């Protein structure tokens, strides 16, 4: 069966693939500040075909927005890896908890610390059927066949630093992340 998979030409469904992940200049009341650099080797097998990684600013606060897209053609990729909650190695997780925002899949909130920086991150996947089904489909290679799903998967990560001296910093960060998540959601459809 493995040999046959190499002999049979790859099936192409003819769907257009995005040239890159496009993010708007404004997200809620946050303005685009700069493109950020991501270490691809940090993601390992959890990398994407296309991605955008940007910083947005409002009143001196900065939210980083990462959106990765993959068309599911590569079985070895782990699109639902918990590594997507971080932008570099070395973070120590203090707390993980689910969050619900109407119209979005379940979001995981991660509070983590790295070299004195405390960060709150929301991350989620759009277009995923969950770990169990994605694992089964990868094992059966259905996305490399005529049973391929027409759409890919987007993984989204929103992160904001928490100011330790500011009272109510966590609540303010949660409100900001929710507002940006709601604004970003329609651009992934």
């Amino acid at each position: 069966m493995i040999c046959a998979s190499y002999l049979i030409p790859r099936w192409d469904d003819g769907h257009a693939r995005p040239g890159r992940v496009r993010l708007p200049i404004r997200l809620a009341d946050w303005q685009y500040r700069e493109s950020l650099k991501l270490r691809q080797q940090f993601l390992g097998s959890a990398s994407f075909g296309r991605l955008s990684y940007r910083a947005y600013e409002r009143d001196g606060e900065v939210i980083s927005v990462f959106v990765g897209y993959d068309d599911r053609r590569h079985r070895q990729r782990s699109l639902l890896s918990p590594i997507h909650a971080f932008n570099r190695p070395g973070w120590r997780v203090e707390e993980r908890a689910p969050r619900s925002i109407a119209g979005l899949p379940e979001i995981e909130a991660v509070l983590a610390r790295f070299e004195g920086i405390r960060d709150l991150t929301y991350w989620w996947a759009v277009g995923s059927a969950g770990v169990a089904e994605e694992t089964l489909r990868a094992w059966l290679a259905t996305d490399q066949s005529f049973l391929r799903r027409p759409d890919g998967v987007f993984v989204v990560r929103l992160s904001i630093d928490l100011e330790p001296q500011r009272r109510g910093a966590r609540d303010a960060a949660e409100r900001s992340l929710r507002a940006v998540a709601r604004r970003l959601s329609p651009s992934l459809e």
Side-chain angles (χ1 to χ4, degrees):
M1 187 161 157
I2 293 172
C3 292
S5 69
Y6 287 105
L7 298 174
I8 298 171
R10 180 172 281 198
W11 178 75
D12 187 8
D13 62 5
H15 281 80
R17 310 288 181 257
R20 63 183 167 163
V21 177
R22 294 184 186 266
L23 292 174
I25 297 298
R26 293 187 65 81
L27 286 170
D29 50 349
W30 295 78
Q31 179 68 37
Y32 168 76
R33 185 172 103 175
E34 64 183 325
S35 291
L36 301 173
K37 193 165 186 132
L38 180 73
R39 294 187 211 162
Q40 280 291 111
Q41 68 270 22
F42 167 62
L43 294 177
S45 67
S47 63
F48 295 92
R50 294 163 180 85
L51 61 89
S52 281
Y53 187 31
R54 291 181 166 186
Y56 289 82
E57 185 174 20
R58 178 190 70 184
D59 300 329
E61 284 187 298
V62 177
I63 283 184
S64 69
V65 177
F66 169 86
V67 179
Y69 172 84
D70 195 84
D71 63 6
R72 308 180 212 245
R73 289 180 181 253
H74 304 285
R75 279 183 27 198
Q76 75 276 15
R77 293 193 177 156
S78 305
L79 300 176
L80 301 181
S81 172
I83 199 168
H84 295 304
F86 310 102
N87 61 3
R88 62 181 172 253
W91 288 95
R92 193 180 88 239
V93 174
E94 295 179 0
E95 179 184 322
R96 287 183 184 268
R99 294 289 187 271
S100 294
I101 298 177
L104 290 174
E106 184 172 299
I107 293 171
E108 182 181 38
V110 179
L111 183 62
R113 186 179 298 273
F114 175 80
E115 295 180 357
I117 299 168
R118 202 160 176 230
D119 193 74
L120 181 62
T121 297
Y122 280 12
W123 83 276
W124 69 94
V126 177
S128 168
V131 174
E133 185 176 329
E134 294 293 339
T135 301
L136 180 63
R137 291 184 69 91
W139 188 73
L140 295 173
T142 55
D143 286 324
Q144 286 74 45
S145 73
F146 66 92
L147 298 174
R148 184 179 185 286
R149 293 171 281 187
D151 299 320
V153 175
F154 287 96
V155 172
V156 181
R157 178 182 65 235
L158 309 177
S159 299
I160 190 168
D161 290 344
L162 297 179
E163 298 175 40
Q165 300 83 11
R166 196 171 121 210
R167 185 176 168 95
R170 175 138 182 206
D171 291 336
E174 294 262 6
R175 283 191 301 276
S176 294
L177 292 174
R178 285 178 178 277
V180 171
R182 280 189 210 99
R183 174 62 182 90
L184 182 60
S185 179
S187 47
L188 301 177
E189 296 173 354

